[in-house]
């Protein structure tokens, strides 16, 4: 009566980012499609080999760009603007993904599909598009050929597909078409897809419906039964797969669906497992996602076994074990981390190690704990060493967090009084101009940094180099006539990594890449312990920059919420505790900057919005602690110091109250692409403090004209009083070249002059 082990998805990018490099070479015309396909086939093969100890191996989780995009092609749902162009299917595929195919002439460029976050992860998918013209037509070729590929390699394939309701839900209606009305058309296509898989010898299909962990509107809720009744007719075993959270009010629904198996996220929804067991049909399988697919820590296997034993006793071979979700969200292999601190390394598990943990669990249940006694003992030792480590637990830090008072997050005077003081102290012109912080990260900067890291460039030489960059950047801003200057962030490779490296409690991987979208990967820092700031992190650079000019120099920091949301975090304390530790470290930096006579300090919270929980009912709690953490970081300063914050979006209709509660003196946001329409929210909500709506879309190589900027600012002035408006780009300039940045900023300054002369 064996419990079975399986996986929901394996990282596709490759242990050494092989897929990234193969894609980029293909896009640049450096290799053929056959070459790309060969690399992809090789990766799939390696990934299946790594999973060959599993009873069921995911197929179709691999993707050349994105699995949701793959699903659009499987369902024949390709926007007309893409499909009408000449070329192969793969050309259409990359056009939908990126706006162009490798061989396109300039005329063939189309708008790429919109990209958005896959639930609460940092993975971005290409949004399916729907309209009145949408028609679905099955193209099962990709799945079928990969199933055959897997069968040839001797693994038991379990195709993975995005379920019909989640597919519709994550897509976007481009006209007024109601998405659910497309179901009638969509169901037969899914049914046919399943029938064809059955004919190919497939026993189980993993059908992902993660929307079941969100608050579903009534209409969506109601469709599930009907849809799954139709799919049941295909006669293949369906594993209805939910992850990323609790089912809550959808639990009842999930129990009633006519599927052969249910997968639950037993990390985030462990307390719902019993209820599902209690009502499980006699033949139904329960797959428990016991290994955290969203984080990089070793699981406590002994603890898990204690919990699983009675469940296994009851369900026997109807108990399956898996990671909580696809392993797409963790790096591939810890074995690549050759130079990592061994003590901390011993606490970690990446995708391959997670699958090993699964095997140990399976074997312990099936053949007795004795057969894996050594592995279990090692695991216990690792868990214990992390739990007891003095590098993790620092009593002083815990004490400092416990001692945080509301006053620490409170400025002495309310904004209107502070603004008076700033008018006097800073004496800025109306519509002051500034930038968001970074200036172009040129190849020279990158080369110098990597030479420094590899030891080829001495610390002194590197420091001199960065100083020269800062000087150049300040000189440029002087010439341009920018009112509030920045030092340009040349010393930072990344706004989170830079601070992580200077704080205690962080560790970095060499190769811990996670796919963000397409060929783009990120290497999130790991927060393993209580956080301290051994010494000032930015004061020397900012002070140096300040010494070069008589204009105001803005200090630049990354905020606690953003550092938290872009890192792998501890699972042994609430996220909020870690966030407050970060807030205290940033607060020290803010106070040091103030003491160094820096009168304007910006604390970026680019990732505040993206940390919002999946369920709206959980939003307020998140906003409460994130806003207080920001306030603790920022608000220790005196009234005369001006605090800025920056956010890379302006979609904040629903969180505007929280943004306002941060009480930053100035907020800069992204607005230029939306033609200032995103400022509509200010019609209803009187945001009380200063705002800098972006006038330069830094994601595009286009240079905004003076007229363009003037027009945008006029629109902004209709909604926000002139005295509270700033002029700035949408975001940092580090991805742009000087050739673009110089004229764009020149136009920005000229636009400011025109507007000022009108006011005068
Ligand atoms: N200060 C950062 C920069 O300019 C902000 C980047 C961001 O918001 N993503 O690069
Ligand atoms: Zn930004």
């Amino acid at each position: 009566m064996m419990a079975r082990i399986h996986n929901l998805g394996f990282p596709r990018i490759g242990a050494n980012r092989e897929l990234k490099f193969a894609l980029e070479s293909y896009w640049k015309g450096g290799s053929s499609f056959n070459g790309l396909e060969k690399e992809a086939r090789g990766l799939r093969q390696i990934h299946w080999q790594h999973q060959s100890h599993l009873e069921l191996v995911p197929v179709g989780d691999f993707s050349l760009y994105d699995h949701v995009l793959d699903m659009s092609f499987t369902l024949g749902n390709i926007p007309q603007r893409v499909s009408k162009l000449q070329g192969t299917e793969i050309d259409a595929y990359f056009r939908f993904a990126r706006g162009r195919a490798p061989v396109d002439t300039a005329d063939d460029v189309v708008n790429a599909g919109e990209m958005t976050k896959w639930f609460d992860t940092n993975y971005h998918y290409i949004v399916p598009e729907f309209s009145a013209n949408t028609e679905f037509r099955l193209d099962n070729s990709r799945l079928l050929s990969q199933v055959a590929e897997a069968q040839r390699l001797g693994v038991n394939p379990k195709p993975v597909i995005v379920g019909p309701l989640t597919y519709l839900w994550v897509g976007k209606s481009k006209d007024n078409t109601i998405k659910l009305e497309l179901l009638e058309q969509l169901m037969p296509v899914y049914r046919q897809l399943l029938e064809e898989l059955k004919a190919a010898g497939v026993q189980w299909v993993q059908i992902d419906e993660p929307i079941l962990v969100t608050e579903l509107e009534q209409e969506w809720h109601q469709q599930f039964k009907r849809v799954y009744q139709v799919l049941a007719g295909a006669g293949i075993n369906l594993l209805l797969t939910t992850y990323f959270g609790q089912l809550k009010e959808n639990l009842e629904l999930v129990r009633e669906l006519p599927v052969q198996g249910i997968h639950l996220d037993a990390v985030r929804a462990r307390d719902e497992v019993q209820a599902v067991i209690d009502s499980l049909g006699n033949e139904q399988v329960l797959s428990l996602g016991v290994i955290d697919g969203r984080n990089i820590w070793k699981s406590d296997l002994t603890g898990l076994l204690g919990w699983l034993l009675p469940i296994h006793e009851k369900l026997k071979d109807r108990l399956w074990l898996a990671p909580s979700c696809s392993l797409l969200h963790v790096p591939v292999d810890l074995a690549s981390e050759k130079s990592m601190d061994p003590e901390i390394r011993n606490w970690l598990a990446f995708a391959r190690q997670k699958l090993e943990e699964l095997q140990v669990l399976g074997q312990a249940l099936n053949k007795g704990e004795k057969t894996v006694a050594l592995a279990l003992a090692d695991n216990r030792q690792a868990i214990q060493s992390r739990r007891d480590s003095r590098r993790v637990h620092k009593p002083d830090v815990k004490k400092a967090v416990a001692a945080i008072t509301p006053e620490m997050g409170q400025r002495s005077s309310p904004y209107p009084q502070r603004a008076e003081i700033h008018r006097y102290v800073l004496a800025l012109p109306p519509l002051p101009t500034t930038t968001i912080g970074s200036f172009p990260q040129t190849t020279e900067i990158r080369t110098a940094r990597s030479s420094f890291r590899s030891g080829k460039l001495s610390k002194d030489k590197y420091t001199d180099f960065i100083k020269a960059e800062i000087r150049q950047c300040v000189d440029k801003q002087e010439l341009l006539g920018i009112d509030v200057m920045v030092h340009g962030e040349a010393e930072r490779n990344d706004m989170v990594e830079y601070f992580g490296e200077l704080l205690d409690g962080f560790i970095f991987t060499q190769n811990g890449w996670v796919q963000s979208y397409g060929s783009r990967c990120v290497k999130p820092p790991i927060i393993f312990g209580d956080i301290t700031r051994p010494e000032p992190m930015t004061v020397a650079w900012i002070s140096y920059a300040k010494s070069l000019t008589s204009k105001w120099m803005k200090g630049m920091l990354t905020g606690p919420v953003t550092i938290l949301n872009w890192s792998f975090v501890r699972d042994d304390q609430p996220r909020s505790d870690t966030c407050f530790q970060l807030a205290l470290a940033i607060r020290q930096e803010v106070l040091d900057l103030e003491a160094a006579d820096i009168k304007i300090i910006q604390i970026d919270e680019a990732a505040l919005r993206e940390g919002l929980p999946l369920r709206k009912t959980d939003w307020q709690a998140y906003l409460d602690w994130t806003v207080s953490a920001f306030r603790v970081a920022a608000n220790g300063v005196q009234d005369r110091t001006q605090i800025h914050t920056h956010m890379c979006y302006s979609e904040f209709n629903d969180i505007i109250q929280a943004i306002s509660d941060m009480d930053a003196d100035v907020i800069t946001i992204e607005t230029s692409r939306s033609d200032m329409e995103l400022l509509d929210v200010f019609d209803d909500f009187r945001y009380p403090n200063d705002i800098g709506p972006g006038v330069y879309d830094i994601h595009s190589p286009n240079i905004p004209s003076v007229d363009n900027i003037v027009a945008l600012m006029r629109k902004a002035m209709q909604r926000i009083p002139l005295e509270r408006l700033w002029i700035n780009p949408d975001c940092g300039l580090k991805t742009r070249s000087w050739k673009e940045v110089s004229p764009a900023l020149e136009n920005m300054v000229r636009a400011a002059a025109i507007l000022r002369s009108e006011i005068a």
Side-chain angles (χ1 to χ4, degrees), residues 277-331:
I277 294 176
D278 290 343
S279 66
L280 205 63
N282 289 333
E283 311 266 278
Q284 261 185 326
V285 159
L286 177 62
S287 163
L288 293 182
V290 289
I291 305 285
D292 194 346
R294 294 288 297 275
N295 216 331
I296 40 65
W297 303 106
K298 269 186 185 163
S299 315
D300 173 3
L301 298 181
T302 304
L304 275 173
L305 277 175
W307 178 64
L308 285 171
L309 274 168
I311 300 179
H312 182 224
E313 202 118 296
K314 175 152 195 219
L315 298 180
K316 309 208 164 63
D317 58 350
R318 292 188 296 130
L319 172 65
W320 292 12
L321 299 178
S324 59
C325 59
S326 166
L327 296 175
L328 180 64
H329 311 292
V330 293

Side-chain angles (χ1 to χ4, degrees), residues 493-539:
N493 42 346
D494 174 274
M495 65 190 282
V496 170
E497 193 171 280
Y498 178 78
F499 290 96
E501 284 180 342
L502 295 170
L503 291 167
D504 240 22
F506 280 77
I507 194 163
F508 291 82
T509 64
Q510 269 182 317
N511 215 21
W513 297 99
V514 179
Q515 188 180 20
S516 169
Y517 65 89
S519 68
R520 186 70 143 228
C521 301
V522 295
K523 201 153 57 80
I526 296 170
I527 303 181
F528 70 87
D530 289 337
I531 286 152
T532 56
R533 188 202 65 148
E535 53 185 19
M537 305 181 282
T538 62
V539 178

